[in-house]
Amino acid sequence: MQAEPGGMAGSLPREDVPQKILRSETWLVLALSLGASAVSSLISFVGSLTKPGGLKDQAAMLNSSAAPGRPWLDLAWQLFGITTALVPVLLVAHFLVRERAGLGAIGFDRSRPWSDLGRGALVAAGIGSAGLAFYLIARAAGFNLTVVPEALPDVWWKYPVLILSAIQNSVLEEVIVVGYLLRRLGQLGWSPTAALAASSLLRGSYHLYQGVGGFVGNMVMGVVFVLLYRRWGRVGPLVAAHALLDIVAFVGYGLLAGHVCWLPTPTGRESC
């Protein structure tokens, strides 16, 4: 049976895979990807809470050197990390092909590239400014760590790697947490409200390492993304929006950190 737009069909895949198998498959995909990240993030958050000093005096590193002082080895590790992080997406693609559907069933294909990019740019513009303001307020209130989007050495591959990292994050998160998860939860009989809550809570959970602000802000973003996915029936615009948000955050931090007053850094030496 064909899935409804947005992948929220309550029917089983065409192979009539038992719900027990679908449930196990979903847990395994999450355990290999963002579910494991959520557990890791929770442990990291507990460590930050129990560490002397406030949260804003601690740093959450997003992109850092894997081999300081050895740029070519560092590059190899960076590319290895980006590539292997996408393996769960390939696994999801495999499971969707098993349904004779493929990634096109969740709207991750090349059928509407300009529409996806245009919608994504509009979403990124709206969420980006609000998200930055929320982060600055949460950090000032002591609810968030100082987020350091990049701490890579100043070498020729720095910004290309940051852009690749942003794209990897966006593909991994939107394909699994929105497209795949909502499709599977719908097939398992979850209500739309429960599926929205699960997807949004998971998104907030694996950002908990940033602090309470990171958890709440990303959970709200998750609600918005699920609603947009259900409206458009495609994760393509969400991947574009997420990629643009991360590219601006990663590259912007690299260019502006230490040169503007309003952007917090771990050293606290913001320049006016």
Side-chain angles (χ1 to χ4, degrees), residues 61-203:
M61 298 283 184
L62 273 61
N63 295 281
S64 57
S65 177
R70 306 182 68 184
W72 285 104
L73 182 62
D74 200 348
L75 175 59
W77 278 119
Q78 298 294 336
L79 296 177
F80 173 78
I82 290 170
T83 304
T84 54
L86 289 173
V87 172
V89 176
L90 297 178
L91 184 61
V92 164
H94 168 77
F95 288 136
L96 293 178
V97 168
R98 182 193 64 191
E99 300 177 31
R100 306 189 190 114
L103 290 172
I106 60 173
F108 188 58
D109 53 29
R110 294 176 293 178
S111 63
R112 306 177 193 173
W114 297 113
S115 173
D116 288 348
L117 182 59
R119 286 173 168 176
L122 290 175
V123 173
I127 290 181
S129 55
L132 177 59
F134 182 77
Y135 160 67
L136 294 174
I137 293 171
R139 180 186 177 276
F143 296 128
N144 221 77
L145 284 75
T146 298
V147 177
V148 181
E150 73 87 14
L152 295 176
D154 289 323
V155 292
W156 66 268
W157 50 259
K158 174 178 178 176
Y159 291 109
V161 162
L162 289 175
I163 293 171
L164 288 175
S165 177
I167 295 172
Q168 172 255 299
N169 288 341
S170 63
V171 171
L172 177 67
E173 294 186 35
E174 305 317 324
V175 167
I176 291 180
V177 177
V178 179
Y180 172 76
L181 185 60
L182 292 183
R183 182 179 179 86
R184 282 293 179 261
L185 294 182
Q187 291 167 339
L188 290 170
W190 287 48
S191 71
T193 301
L196 181 148
S199 176
S200 304
L201 183 61
L202 175 59
R203 187 187 296 267

Side-chain angles (χ1 to χ4, degrees), residues 7-9 12 19 24 40 46 63 65 67 77 118 126 143-144 150 155 166 186 206 213 220 238 241 246 254 263:
M8 288 303 297
L12 290 175
Q19 290 203 349
S24 299
S40 173
V46 171
N63 295 281
S65 177
W77 278 119
F143 296 128
N144 221 77
E150 73 87 14
V155 292
Y206 59 75
V220 172
L238 308 183
D246 280 5
L263 186 61

Side-chain angles (χ1 to χ4, degrees), residues 21-45:
I21 299 299
L22 289 181
R23 190 175 296 109
S24 299
E25 171 200 299
T26 304
W27 279 112
L28 287 171
V29 169
L30 293 179
L32 291 171
S33 58
L34 295 165
S37 296
V39 176
S40 173
S41 189
L42 174 60
I43 295 171
S44 178
F45 179 61

